[in-house]
């Protein structure tokens, strides 16, 4: 119903910045909330933040607040994760996900992208 494709990952030096993109296609009209997650090797998936695809409201996890920001394209089904002041511990596979639920406080991420690798070197 909805397909998600992440892009923009790569190798960056500690202290650098990187912007990830998530392009949604298919029945995107049903997408209410888009979220960003990451998963490092041997660790569980970590929630980073989410954005409303209608009102544009954002929420960023405390763990990355002040360094990561979430935004969306003006008239496209694309969301961004801008990462600043990157640290080696930010190294992970980053995923975007789509929630069909319009309830901001309780999203249900039913669709997931394949992920994009972010590696931060010291």
């Amino acid at each position: 119903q909805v397909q998600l494709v992440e892009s923009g990952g790569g190798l960056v030096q500690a202290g650098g910045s990187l912007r990830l993109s998530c392009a949604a296609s298919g029945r995107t009209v049903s997408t209410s909330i888009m979220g960003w997650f990451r998963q490092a090797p041997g660790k569980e998936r970590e929630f980073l933040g989410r954005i409303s695809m209608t009102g544009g409201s954002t929420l960023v996890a405390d763990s990355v607040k002040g360094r990561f920001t979430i935004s969306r394209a003006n008239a496209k089904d694309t969301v961004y994760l801008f990462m600043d002041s990157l640290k080696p511990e930010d190294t992970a596979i980053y995923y975007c996900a789509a929630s069909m639920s319009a309830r901001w406080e309780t999203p249900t991420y039913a669709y997931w992208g394949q992920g994009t690798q972010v590696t931060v070197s010291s």
Side-chain angles (χ1 to χ4, degrees):
Q1 192 173 35
V2 176
Q3 296 79 45
L4 306 175
V5 179
E6 303 94 338
S7 62
L11 176 64
V12 297
Q13 192 175 30
S17 302
L18 198 64
R19 189 184 75 166
L20 306 182
S21 300
C22 176
S25 61
R27 195 175 177 181
T28 57
V29 67
S30 62
T31 301
S32 298
I33 299 170
M34 297 280 281
W36 281 101
F37 301 79
R38 68 183 179 186
Q39 187 167 24
K43 296 187 177 181
E44 295 184 352
R45 182 186 63 198
E46 178 186 9
F47 168 75
L48 299 175
R50 61 177 181 261
I51 184 170
S52 170
M53 299 304 289
T54 54
S57 299
T58 60
L59 182 150
V60 178
D62 290 338
S63 59
V64 295
K65 190 175 298 181
R67 296 192 301 119
F68 290 12
T69 57
I70 298 174
S71 62
R72 58 174 180 166
N74 291 335
K76 297 181 179 180
D77 295 315
T78 303
V79 297
Y80 304 101
L81 177 66
F82 178 73
M83 305 180 292
D84 193 21
S85 303
L86 285 165
K87 307 173 182 179
E89 52 262 41
D90 292 320
T91 297
I93 300 177
Y94 285 71
Y95 300 90
C96 65
S99 172
M100 302 301 103
S101 173
R103 300 180 183 273
W104 176 245
E105 294 82 5
T106 57
T108 302
Y109 299 104
Y111 301 94
W112 295 78
Q114 292 295 312
T116 183
Q117 177 71 47
V118 173
T119 303
V120 184
S121 62
S122 300

